[in-house]
């Protein structure tokens, strides 16, 4: 197991609902260290650039509108096996399928408004960390 860095976003639904503190508490309880953080209000274009891999999918327009609808907290997290472990702590994309005790089971309200983002692999993590934190080393 190696120390990794991953990018997470506490999405506009969870920020608006006041879940930032509870979600950060879960990250810290799971031995993730916060190495960078920014509160952002993404433009539609910035959200489209971030989720470029999903361009053309039926949910792309609605997703990028949602992601640019309010404040979001973007963070780089570091820890052992951080990329895969964060995905476990987050739970399944669709909260209806998320395991008990995961962030999405607790705080997501739909498959779109699902409270958090986490990078899905090392290349994605490097792209996503660079997208928001050009001065932060991805590993
Ligand atoms: P994320 O990339 O945000 O961490 P994920 O990797 O679990 O989530 P992706 O397949 O990458 O899921 O989808 C990106 C985001 O797009 C999801 O988190 C969700 O907000 C939205 N999304 C995905 N599938 C759907 C869908 N079928 N309907 C509506 N929104 C969706
Ligand atoms: Mg994804």
């Amino acid at each position: 197991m190696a120390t990794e860095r991953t990018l997470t976003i506490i999405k506009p639904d969870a920020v608006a609902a006041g879940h930032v503190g509870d979600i950060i508490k879960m990250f810290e309880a799971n031995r993730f260290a916060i190495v960078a953080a920014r509160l952002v209000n993404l433009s539609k274009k910035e959200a489209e650039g971030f989720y470029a891999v999903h361009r053309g999918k039926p949910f792309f327009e609605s997703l990028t509108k949602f992601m640019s609808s309010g404040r979001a907290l973007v963070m780089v997290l570091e820890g052992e096996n951080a990329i895969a472990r964060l995905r476990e702590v987050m739970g399944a994309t669709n909260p209806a399928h998320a395991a008990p005790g995961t962030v999405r089971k607790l705080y997501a309200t739909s498959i779109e408004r699902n409270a958090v983002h986490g990078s899905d692999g090392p290349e994605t993590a490097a792209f996503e960390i660079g997208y928001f934190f050009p001065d932060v080393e991805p590993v």
Side-chain angles (χ1 to χ4, degrees):
M1 285 231 238
T3 300
E4 288 177 337
R5 289 182 171 181
T6 189
L7 187 101
T8 188
I9 304 178
I10 301 181
K11 295 184 180 185
D13 59 329
V15 173
H19 297 315
V20 169
D22 289 325
I23 293 171
I24 289 178
K25 209 171 185 58
M26 290 176 72
F27 291 161
E28 291 183 327
N30 282 280
R31 292 168 285 110
F32 292 98
I34 302 168
V35 301
R38 269 179 69 196
L39 191 72
V40 298
N41 201 328
L42 297 180
S43 67
K44 181 80 160 48
K45 286 269 173 291
E46 288 170 325
E48 288 173 1
F50 180 74
Y51 275 125
V53 291
H54 294 304
R55 191 178 284 281
K57 292 189 186 162
F59 58 81
F60 182 74
E61 188 55 31
S62 177
L63 170 65
T64 51
K65 210 165 160 185
F66 159 57
M67 289 299 291
S68 56
S69 68
R71 288 187 295 276
L73 184 62
V74 187
M75 294 183 282
V76 177
L77 300 181
E78 183 177 274
E80 286 298 308
N81 202 17
I83 297 170
R85 260 187 344 101
L86 180 66
R87 305 270 303 175
E88 278 176 31
V89 170
M90 285 165 43
T93 309
N94 186 342
H97 303 146
T102 60
V103 175
R104 284 168 166 168
K105 186 65 171 190
L106 289 164
Y107 302 118
T109 54
S110 72
I111 188 168
E112 177 180 272
R113 302 173 75 85
N114 60 3
V116 280
H117 163 85
S119 306
D120 63 8
E123 287 82 24
T124 322
F127 165 76
E128 292 178 351
I129 290 169
Y131 195 82
F132 287 109
F133 302 98
D135 299 334
V136 173
E137 287 290 321
V139 279

